[in-house]
Amino acid sequence: MRLLPFFRSRRREQSPLLSEDKRQQLIEAEGKFTEALADHAVKMDWARRIALATLEKLDERHAK
């Protein structure tokens, strides 16, 4: 099989796969996505803490 010449010819083309504008848009989108994930993680941590505190209070009431 002669697949290597295909890849070599692609490598020889020095044209970028993305324009600079598209590349910048992807970088900005990645930043927004990362920020949203971090925000979600913080919210989930607070939800977990609230749920655990509620379960502890319910356990205390049930034990009485």
Side-chain angles (χ1 to χ4, degrees), residues 39-53:
D39 212 25
H40 178 71
V42 168
K43 289 177 184 175
M44 292 304 294
D45 185 53
W46 277 106
R48 183 185 59 80
R49 290 178 190 204
I50 291 168
L52 287 174

Side-chain angles (χ1 to χ4, degrees):
M1 293 178 61
R2 309 266 308 168
L3 294 177
L4 288 177
F6 170 76
F7 292 112
R8 282 189 200 129
S9 66
R10 180 71 183 135
R11 236 183 273 146
R12 284 184 194 146
E13 294 177 20
Q14 292 300 321
S15 62
L17 296 176
L18 292 172
S19 67
E20 186 60 33
D21 186 43
K22 291 291 182 187
R23 185 178 166 282
Q24 192 61 36
Q25 287 176 351
L26 280 175
I27 290 170
E28 289 173 13
E30 182 185 23
K32 289 178 184 178
F33 182 69
T34 303
E35 188 176 323
L37 280 178
D39 212 25
H40 178 71
V42 168
K43 289 177 184 175
M44 292 304 294
D45 185 53
W46 277 106
R48 183 185 59 80
R49 290 178 190 204
I50 291 168
L52 287 174
T54 303
L55 287 174
E56 287 175 3
K57 287 182 182 179
L58 287 173
D59 284 345
E60 290 172 5
R61 289 182 186 167
H62 189 265
K64 289 182 182 180

